[in-house]
Amino acid sequence: MAESMKGLHRSHRCTEISKENIGQAVTVMGWVQKSRNKGGIIFTDLRDRSGILQVIFEECDCGSAVFEKAATLRSEFVIAVEGIMTARQGAVNENLKTGDIEIRAKSLRILSESATPPFPIEENSRTKEELRLKYRYLDLRRPDLQRNLMTRSRVATLTRAFLADEGFLEIETPTLIKSTPEGARDYLVPSRVHPGSFYALPQSPQLFKQLLMCSGYDRYFQLARCYRDEDLRADRQPEFTQIDMELSFVDVDDVLAVNERLLQKLFKEICGIDLQLPLLRMTWQEAMDRFGSDKPDMRFGMELKDVSETVQGCEFAVFRNALAAGGTVRGINAAGQAGMPRKKIDALVEFAKGFGAKGLAYMAIQTDGSFKASFAKFMKPEELNALAKAMDAKPGDLLFFAADQKTVVWDVLGNLRLELARQLDLMKKDDFRFLWVTEFPLLEYSEEEKRFTAKHHPFTMPMEEDWHLIDSDPGAVRAKAYDIVLNGTELGGGSVRIHQADIQEKMLEVLGFTPESAHEQFGFLLDAFQYGVPPHAGLAYGLDRVVMLMVGADSIRDVIAFPKVKDASCLMCEAPAAVDEKQLCELGIEVAKGTEE
Ligand code: ASP
């Protein structure tokens, strides 16, 4: 029978007790990790969110009634124990924070019993994730997940304190808003009061935070829940949290500076790391050229090299044809890998094909300085020499080349670079390399939609020096947009916003809006711009990703209390689910026949 808390008060969490408390009476509460009855003595490991404490029940301390009750303890029972702290009488457990002490119980209350859990509650669980997610409330008892969520809470608290100190106001924006088709797919919520009309859940507070700047709030932030109905990849969730901010009367440098200080504070307090400011900065163009990625991992080199000029005029058709079609030939140098077995190289060629490469040329520099290349017979010795030189290759190195249109080559070599680094173990989780990537293109061409779309979003300010190209060469216009990248992951991004109605209208026109459709979608923002709008800029971090990298987790699911799985469902509460006919009726909604699951 579950006992009550009457008259009981917890004095400490399990690991808030140390040798200093020896001799004191304490009251602790938590879950039974395990309990062993060794005849006249019962050893119980008591667990709470702070860790584990050993409890000893012996008849001479607690009397026979308590001892008998203790003999019924099973894993995951919730108990309260009053007793006296002592030095550990058996062997000290080096793995426990409280390994040198124990509590000798005087009383015991069983606050609730537990059925046998479907999997053991233990660190580094080997239980399949599906089962753990079904019983997430049990999974969340595991120490590693508890630590992750405690870190997440600290990040939120520190962020709030830091931003408040810097003059930011925490302001909530609505989560039932109007759908905007630009960007990812919206989650829709039907309106009962307005049958046939829908709210959207926000993909970000973007328009509202800009309006707050129009309203004079100057510096805003929010830990904002955002929703995007995308096909999920490993590191995506349909709902996620942003540290979202917006500032008035600032330009790029001001936003970067305050955010560098925020990152410095967070990484010092949480990870004990001293970030040297200013953080490294690189333009988007440079990042693509050197690393084939707009979020390069800076923990290792292996940079891309353009060898188009060096191979110009060679007989190798793959190189020749790519160049003739206006493409490029670039390579990376896997230093010291000349001895890589053929099988592994073949697997890398297949890997490259997955990113659109037609093939991958390679060349090993043997220890005697001779070359072994997949294309050796099509090149003269001096051409091979020139190529090795252009790649800074030394004996023992292995070179890979991709020849195609520039964007394909970037993608292929950028990903190959990462794959090689994974295989060669060049990316250490505790090596934190930050990078700002700046001057992103304003627009990108969508083959699917046959039009330009906004690379960041439609409110991003073009760079003044490029704006004259907006009609003649829109793809060449750069934006005042920036991303903060950590170890190859985009932690966040933002931009200076357009604050001039004429530029904003032109931008919407380039994106394919008519004046009417622009007004229909963003009329309130365009209107607001007519009543005095300060220059403003902002940024948002993916909080889940920030915490994931801080704690070294492999997935953001490990830093979210109740995450969803790939098909956007929750295995525990089984959302989404069908609803009552009556509910649908009230909303004026009918599910089209044949579309139900
Ligand atoms: N709203 C943007 C996003 O969600 C961030 C920003 O521009 O501040 O990516």
Side-chain angles (χ1 to χ4, degrees):
M1 235 263 297
E3 297 179 81
S4 81
M5 282 283 294
K6 196 164 174 212
L8 269 187
H9 297 283
R10 178 169 68 179
S11 66
H12 299 82
R13 289 208 176 80
C14 286
T15 68
E16 285 168 358
I17 303 176
S18 68
K19 268 185 152 161
E20 264 136 58
N21 302 92
I22 285 175
Q24 287 175 9
V26 299
T27 306
V28 287
M29 300 177 195
W31 285 257
V32 173
Q33 178 70 31
K34 60 175 189 236
S35 198
R36 286 103 53 215
N37 190 342
K38 300 267 165 107
I41 180 164
I42 295 170
F43 296 88
T44 302
D45 283 346
L46 183 68
R47 185 192 73 235
D48 65 14
R49 73 174 204 207
S50 75
I52 282 179
L53 177 66
Q54 176 162 285
V55 184
I56 305 287
F57 294 93
E58 251 188 310
E59 243 176 303
C60 55
D61 297 319
C62 61
S64 58
V66 168
F67 188 81
E68 270 164 37
K69 203 202 277 184
T72 68
L73 293 179
R74 299 276 172 278
S75 291
E76 303 311 312
F77 277 31
V78 182
I79 61 171
V81 175
E82 291 172 297
I84 305 292
M85 290 313 305
T86 57
R88 199 174 274 219
Q89 296 189 346
V92 166
N93 183 345
E94 303 284 355
N95 300 323
L96 278 190
K97 202 169 155 202
T98 56
D100 54 355
I101 50 175
E102 59 199 12
I103 168 170
R104 299 193 75 82
K106 287 203 164 304
S107 80
L108 165 69
R109 280 197 215 178
I110 297 180
L111 302 173
S112 79
E113 298 187 349
S114 169
T116 306
F119 53 86
I121 310 298
E122 63 191 3
E123 185 124 19
N124 303 323
S125 177
R126 275 168 301 170
T127 305
K128 269 176 66 185
E129 197 183 17
E130 288 82 71
L131 185 65
R132 291 193 285 111
L133 287 174
K134 180 164 161 48
Y135 296 93
R136 184 62 160 178
Y137 45 88
L138 295 179
D139 197 29
L140 285 172
R141 287 185 191 172
R142 298 191 304 107
D144 30 2
L145 283 188
Q146 294 206 331
R147 276 198 305 272
N148 291 354
L149 291 190
M150 287 191 268
T151 300
R152 186 184 176 112
S153 169
R154 279 186 69 207
V155 171
T157 306
L158 288 164
T159 301
R160 284 200 164 91
F162 174 87
L163 291 175
D165 267 359
E166 296 270 344
F168 286 77
L169 302 170
E170 184 168 5
I171 302 176
E172 286 155 281
T173 54
T175 53
L176 292 174
I177 64 169
K178 185 169 168 172
S179 177
T180 50
E182 198 66 11
R185 211 175 285 115
D186 282 332
Y187 275 98
L188 297 178
V189 180
S191 160
R192 178 183 57 80
V193 184
H194 305 277
S197 290
F198 294 83
Y199 302 98
L201 300 179
Q203 298 187 25
S204 90
Q206 187 61 36
L207 294 176
F208 291 94
K209 66 175 174 172
Q210 289 194 238
L211 290 171
L212 287 171
M213 296 303 106
C214 294
S215 306
Y217 289 88
D218 201 288
R219 287 184 165 209
Y220 137 98
F221 86 97
Q222 180 180 199
L223 301 192
R225 192 66 66 83
C226 304
Y227 304 84
R228 294 184 192 169
D229 185 4
E230 293 171 304
D231 294 326
L232 302 184
R233 287 188 252 131
D235 61 345
R236 291 266 169 93
Q237 284 281 314
E239 53 179 313
F240 57 97
T241 308
Q242 288 191 341
I243 303 174
D244 189 45
M245 67 181 76
E246 195 76 10
L247 306 78
S248 290
F249 309 114
V250 292
D251 210 336
V252 175
D253 287 347
D254 306 291
V255 181
L256 269 48
V258 69
N259 277 285
E260 293 190 342
R261 292 202 303 281
L262 170 62
L263 290 168
Q264 188 179 48
K265 167 110 184 153
L266 291 176
F267 278 81
K268 175 75 189 167
E269 299 275 336
I270 306 267
C271 307
I273 290 167
D274 287 304
L275 291 188
Q276 296 307 313
L277 304 188
L279 299 176
L280 193 62
R281 284 192 203 180
M282 193 179 285
T283 63
W284 177 88
Q285 189 64 54
E286 185 179 346
M288 298 308 294
D289 281 335
R290 287 175 57 192
F291 301 97
S293 166
D294 59 4
K295 43 179 191 306
D297 195 316
M298 302 303 289
R299 286 174 293 184
F300 62 99
M302 225 193 285
E303 295 188 16
L304 279 56
K305 293 233 164 70
D306 190 342
V307 293
S308 305
E309 267 182 34
T310 317
V311 300
Q312 188 89 46
C314 79
E315 289 298 314
F316 184 35
V318 170
F319 290 172
R320 280 176 66 112
N321 296 345
L323 293 175
T328 175
V329 182
R330 298 181 190 206
I332 55 176
N333 182 348
Q337 293 304 307
M340 186 180 284
R342 181 60 196 264
K343 243 181 135 170
K344 249 185 154 174
I345 296 182
D346 288 345
L348 289 173
V349 175
E350 286 311 306
F351 175 86
K353 285 183 184 164
F355 293 92
K358 290 183 210 74
L360 198 60
Y362 54 88
M363 165 166 159
I365 327 292
Q366 319 269 59
T367 28
D368 63 4
S370 66
F371 303 125
K372 204 167 109 196
S374 57
F375 47 88
K377 59 174 183 269
F378 305 108
M379 299 256 256
K380 302 193 189 83
E382 60 272 24
E383 286 172 336
L384 291 174
N385 259 321
L387 192 53
K389 191 155 169 254
M391 291 299 297
D392 284 334
K394 299 179 302 306
D397 291 351
L398 177 61
L399 311 175
F400 290 97
F401 300 96
D404 213 310
Q405 291 306 308
K406 190 166 63 181
T407 48
V408 177
V409 170
W410 278 337
D411 208 25
V412 168
L413 292 184
N415 281 293
L416 183 67
R417 174 179 175 268
L418 286 176
E419 178 58 21
L420 282 164
R422 270 189 287 271
Q423 295 189 4
L424 302 172
D425 198 19
L426 301 180
M427 301 184 285
K428 300 282 179 243
K429 273 191 175 169
D430 57 357
D431 183 11
F432 292 92
R433 301 295 180 102
F434 287 84
L435 173 71
W436 287 109
V437 178
T438 61
E439 300 181 14
F440 274 76
L442 183 68
L443 303 160
E444 65 189 342
Y445 193 72
S446 160
E447 285 298 339
E448 204 177 301
E449 296 178 46
K450 298 274 174 265
R451 65 172 179 107
F452 280 101
T453 57
K455 176 113 181 133
H456 187 47
H457 51 53
F459 316 106
T460 295
M461 180 80 101
M463 285 177 59
E464 278 144 64
E465 50 272 57
D466 293 350
W467 185 234
H468 65 282
L469 297 170
I470 192 64
D471 287 315
S472 55
D473 189 5
V477 178
R478 291 165 301 164
K480 288 191 168 190
Y482 34 78
D483 272 0
I484 179 72
V485 175
L486 170 57
N487 293 355
T489 298
E490 176 200 329
L491 286 187
S495 58
V496 174
R497 322 301 183 190
I498 300 169
H499 72 281
Q500 304 91 328
D502 56 336
I503 300 185
Q504 186 64 72
E505 273 161 24
K506 177 72 192 175
M507 178 73 180
L508 290 170
E509 179 197 314
V510 173
L511 294 175
F513 286 86
T514 60
E516 296 73 39
S517 64
H519 251 269
E520 160 117 354
Q521 288 301 319
F522 312 112
F524 55 102
L525 183 76
L526 301 175
D527 288 347
F529 280 9
Q530 293 172 18
Y531 296 101
V533 44
H536 57 288
L539 182 141
Y541 297 89
L543 174 63
D544 312 295
R545 286 196 203 166
V546 172
V547 180
M548 176 183 86
L549 292 183
M550 280 178 157
V551 303
D554 292 321
S555 155
I556 57 172
R557 292 188 298 281
D558 291 337
V559 299
I560 296 174
F562 298 102
K564 296 192 171 52
V565 291
K566 264 216 162 110
D567 68 357
S569 67
C570 169
L571 298 181
M572 184 186 67
C573 68
E574 296 179 344
V579 296
D580 256 14
E581 203 53 49
K582 185 164 162 271
Q583 282 173 288
L584 288 181
C585 218
E586 278 175 347
L587 295 166
I589 286 183
E590 208 177 325
V591 178
K593 287 263 167 302
T595 58
E596 318 91 320
E597 257 188 336

